[in-house]
């Protein structure tokens, strides 16, 4: 009887300026395998990519870090939680691993982190996989716009953010917009909530929520970067995302008319419901563009 090859995945911490960054890395069959850097979203961490790593990790080198304030990464007291600082930590992580070229998977928070890295190091980016990672104003729902407009000085603003950090709020991000909620394993939102409930984690998320507006101010820069560098791009998007709706996916085609776009009848965490559809698209994309 022949059994499928099972991916071997290592789990490590690496120190980056006092931040102990946790990451997962698959061990592919060949040392020159294409490299895919997986940048996770809110409110999750690298564990959101576990199934994708299991499926593709024997053929490709998949690397998924946890940002400061997320997952198993440990940040020192006094760490400033902003998207600039998340990008700084991720940049240092990449440099510590000695990565010089990779395809970048940007999802949710991974887009503002990843596009900051792309601006700093365009030579690193061999291509993009964009999954519900927004860089356009039309990719913001009315609810997302209202949330981003919250300011620390506004009465009740912090409570509004903290309501999203509860178990119902976390679970809702997984199930909203899905075609079949029974296909969504409860493990993701349960583990996310565990990390959110650790000391200091909600404060970190409140700070990042208030800082999110800085990303909108950079949309023009990121779009200009896309037009200038025209990276090969695969877009896989959950069309029913309550935060980043379908127009955000189509907007990329203005700046990347050759991008490959695939829309799925699901919500924010598209891999949870459509891994069987998305994983082959990623594999084909990596095989085509990696030279």
């Amino acid at each position: 009887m022949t059994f499928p090859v099972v991916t071997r995945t290592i789990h490590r911490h690496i120190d980056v300026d006092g931040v102990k960054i946790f990451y997962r890395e698959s061990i592919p069959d060949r040392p020159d395998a294409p490299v895919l850097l997986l940048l996770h979203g809110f409110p999750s961490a690298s564990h959101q990519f576990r199934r994708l790593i299991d499926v593709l990790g024997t053929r490709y080198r998949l690397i998924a870090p946890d940002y400061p304030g997320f997952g198993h990464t440990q940040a020192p007291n006094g760490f400033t939680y902003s998207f600039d600082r998340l990008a700084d930590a991720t940049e240092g992580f990449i440099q510590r691993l000695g990565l010089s070229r990779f395809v970048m998977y940007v999802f949710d928070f991974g887009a503002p982190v990843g596009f900051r890295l792309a601006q700093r190091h365009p030579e690193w980016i061999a291509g993009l996989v964009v999954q519900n990672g927004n860089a356009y104003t039309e990719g913001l729902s009315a609810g997302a716009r209202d949330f981003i407009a919250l300011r620390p000085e506004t009465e009740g603003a912090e409570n509004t953010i903290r309501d999203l950090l509860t178990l119902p709020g976390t679970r809702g991000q997984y199930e909203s917009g899905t075609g079949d909620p029974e296909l969504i394993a409860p493990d993701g939102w349960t583990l996310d909530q565990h990390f959110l409930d650790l000391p200091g984690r909600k404060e970190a998320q409140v700070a990042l929520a208030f800082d999110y507006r800085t990303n909108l101010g950079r949309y023009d820069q990121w779009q200009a970067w896309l037009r200038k560098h025209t990276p090969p791009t695969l877009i896989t998007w959950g069309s029913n995302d309550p935060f980043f709706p379908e127009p955000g996916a189509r907007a990329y085609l203005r700046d990347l008319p050759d991008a490959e776009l695939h829309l799925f009848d699901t919500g924010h965490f598209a891999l949870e419901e459509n891994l069987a559809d998305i994983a082959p698209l990623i594999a084909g994309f990596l095989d085509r563009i990696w030279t």
Side-chain angles (χ1 to χ4, degrees):
M1 181 179 294
T2 301
F3 291 93
V5 177
V6 178
T7 297
R8 296 171 60 216
T9 304
I10 58 174
H11 307 83
R12 293 173 174 161
H13 281 90
I14 192 168
D15 186 272
V16 177
D17 297 327
V19 178
K20 291 184 64 178
I21 294 182
F22 172 84
Y23 68 102
R24 307 164 194 269
E25 179 178 351
S26 67
I27 303 175
D29 293 335
R30 55 191 180 92
D32 61 342
V35 181
L36 180 62
L37 180 69
L38 302 165
L39 298 180
H40 69 80
F42 166 85
S44 198
S46 62
H47 61 262
Q48 75 167 81
F49 295 116
R50 285 181 63 187
R51 294 199 304 152
L52 182 67
I53 292 172
D54 285 344
V55 171
L56 297 182
T58 59
R59 293 176 57 185
Y60 313 103
R61 184 184 178 192
L62 275 60
I63 303 170
D66 293 349
Y67 313 132
F70 296 79
H72 296 284
T73 288
Q74 302 168 26
N77 292 334
F79 185 88
T80 299
Y81 289 95
S82 68
F83 283 90
D84 282 342
R85 293 292 288 124
L86 296 189
D88 292 343
T90 307
E91 178 183 26
F93 166 78
I94 292 166
Q95 292 169 328
R96 286 294 308 275
L97 285 189
L99 301 179
S100 59
R101 184 171 179 267
F102 47 83
V103 175
M104 190 165 60
Y105 185 119
V106 294
F107 164 69
D108 188 53
F109 275 20
V113 172
F115 284 126
R116 281 170 168 80
L117 297 176
Q119 284 186 289
R120 299 177 190 181
H121 299 281
E123 73 281 2
W124 285 354
I125 311 302
L128 295 174
V129 178
V130 180
Q131 189 253 296
N132 296 76
N134 191 51
Y136 296 84
T137 54
E138 56 263 61
L140 298 171
S141 68
R145 291 171 187 269
D146 290 343
F147 191 82
I148 295 167
L150 296 172
R151 296 292 181 268
E153 62 274 10
T154 304
E155 183 178 356
E158 182 169 332
N159 288 336
T160 298
I161 295 169
R162 287 181 177 271
D163 285 344
L164 190 62
L165 308 178
T166 61
L167 183 58
T170 303
R171 179 174 180 171
Q173 293 185 68
Y174 278 79
E175 293 187 323
S176 294
T178 58
D180 184 357
E182 291 187 350
L183 293 174
I184 312 301
D187 311 281
W189 71 70
T190 302
L191 188 53
D192 287 347
Q193 195 61 44
H194 161 75
F195 288 124
L196 283 172
D197 290 339
L198 292 178
R201 290 296 180 88
K202 287 189 171 69
E203 289 73 18
Q205 297 304 326
V206 168
L208 289 169
F210 284 133
D211 189 61
Y212 198 92
R213 61 186 177 85
T214 64
N215 300 323
L216 276 64
R218 298 187 182 216
Y219 280 1
D220 287 346
Q221 298 175 35
W222 299 343
Q223 294 160 22
W225 186 93
L226 293 170
R227 290 192 298 272
K228 177 179 179 180
H229 295 282
T230 61
T233 300
L234 169 68
I235 304 167
T236 64
W237 203 278
S239 295
N240 308 324
D241 189 328
F243 304 101
F244 305 132
E246 181 180 318
R250 296 188 180 279
Y252 278 94
L253 299 180
R254 289 204 305 268
D255 298 312
L256 298 171
D258 294 328
E260 183 180 341
L261 172 63
H262 298 267
L263 302 172
F264 297 92
D265 183 22
T266 191
H268 189 59
F269 285 93
L271 284 177
E272 295 293 313
E273 188 172 12
N274 291 98
L275 175 69
D277 304 302
I278 295 174
L281 293 173
I282 295 173
F285 178 71
L286 292 174
D287 290 342
R288 287 194 302 277
I289 72 165
W290 191 269
T291 58

